[in-house]
Structure formats: structure tokens, C-alpha cells
Amino acid sequence: MKEIWKDIKDFEGVYQISNMGRLRSHKSGKWSILSNNNSKGGYFSVVLAYGSKKRYTRIHRLVYESFVGDIPKGHKWHIHHINHNKQDNRVENLKLVTSKEHYLEDLDSRT
């Protein structure tokens, strides 16, 4: 699969996310990939900052928003990792689900 990069909303020209779940920054005058580290197997999180703008978010949410569309507001909606690997943020591994669906999917992955 070819890697495609898109600007992150409100951080255009500064941060980009790829369909493979990688994040890069242009803050130093050239594009550089930012590392994803979470040795415990949890979600990759990031703080995007530029000037007075600051946003804490998870990488899988950036991928979904950039390549699929907006995530409805409220705690009812989750971005689910289809293969249950929280560090596999490829766009084809993500889907929008309700809180109940997310809970049931997590239960299924434990049995």
C-alpha cells in the first residue's frame, strides 16, 4: 500500500498524518517523522503544538479524521481497532463504533 500524507486540521503545513498511522512535523523547516513509543502496547498519543495552538489526541483519531471524516461529538463514539492491536493505526484497521459496540468488541477479543 502506498503511504499517503494529509495535513492535520488546524495544523496545516506543520503536522501531517499518513494512512499508515505515522506522524510527521515540519517545524524544523523540513519534514521529519515523529516516533511512536508506548512499550506497554497502549494507544499512541501526541501533543500537537504550534504558536498558541495546542491539542492532545491519539494517533488513531488523527488518522480516522484525516482519511475517513469527522468523528461525531460526545462520548458515545469510539474509533475501534479492528484487529484489536491498539498500535496498528492503518486507516483500513479503524472503524467508528458506539460505546456499546466498542465494549462488546473488546469483550470478544478477550475470549
Side-chain angles (χ1 to χ4, degrees):
M1 170 188 258
K2 182 180 178 199
E3 190 165 26
I4 300 166
W5 293 92
K6 290 192 175 184
D7 283 329
I8 295 174
K9 184 180 176 186
D10 298 326
F11 292 92
E12 292 85 353
V14 180
Y15 291 103
Q16 290 184 334
I17 194 76
S18 83
N19 59 326
M20 304 297 285
R22 298 195 311 158
L23 178 67
R24 69 183 182 182
S25 168
H26 197 265
K27 289 169 99 173
S28 63
K30 63 177 181 150
W31 288 108
S32 54
I33 305 288
L34 303 176
S35 65
N36 288 325
N37 292 316
N38 186 325
S39 60
K40 296 181 181 179
Y43 298 112
F44 293 135
S45 299
V46 65
V47 177
L48 304 176
Y50 188 72
S52 62
K53 296 181 203 172
K54 193 177 255 191
R55 177 181 175 194
Y56 170 83
T57 189
R58 292 187 168 156
I59 296 291
H60 65 279
R61 295 182 70 83
L62 291 173
V63 173
Y64 189 91
E65 289 171 336
S66 296
F67 290 91
V68 180
D70 290 335
I71 300 166
K73 301 284 185 216
H75 294 287
K76 178 181 178 182
W77 299 101
H78 296 265
I79 304 304
H80 177 68
H81 290 81
I82 296 167
N83 68 3
H84 305 287
N85 178 349
K86 295 176 183 177
Q87 296 187 352
D88 181 355
N89 294 310
R90 294 171 298 128
V91 69
E92 66 268 12
N93 188 45
L94 305 174
K95 72 177 182 178
L96 183 68
V97 296
T98 64
S99 296
K100 183 178 180 180
E101 290 168 328
H102 195 250
Y103 173 76
L104 292 173
E105 293 272 359
D106 282 347
L107 274 182
D108 284 347
S109 72
R110 295 180 197 159
T111 57

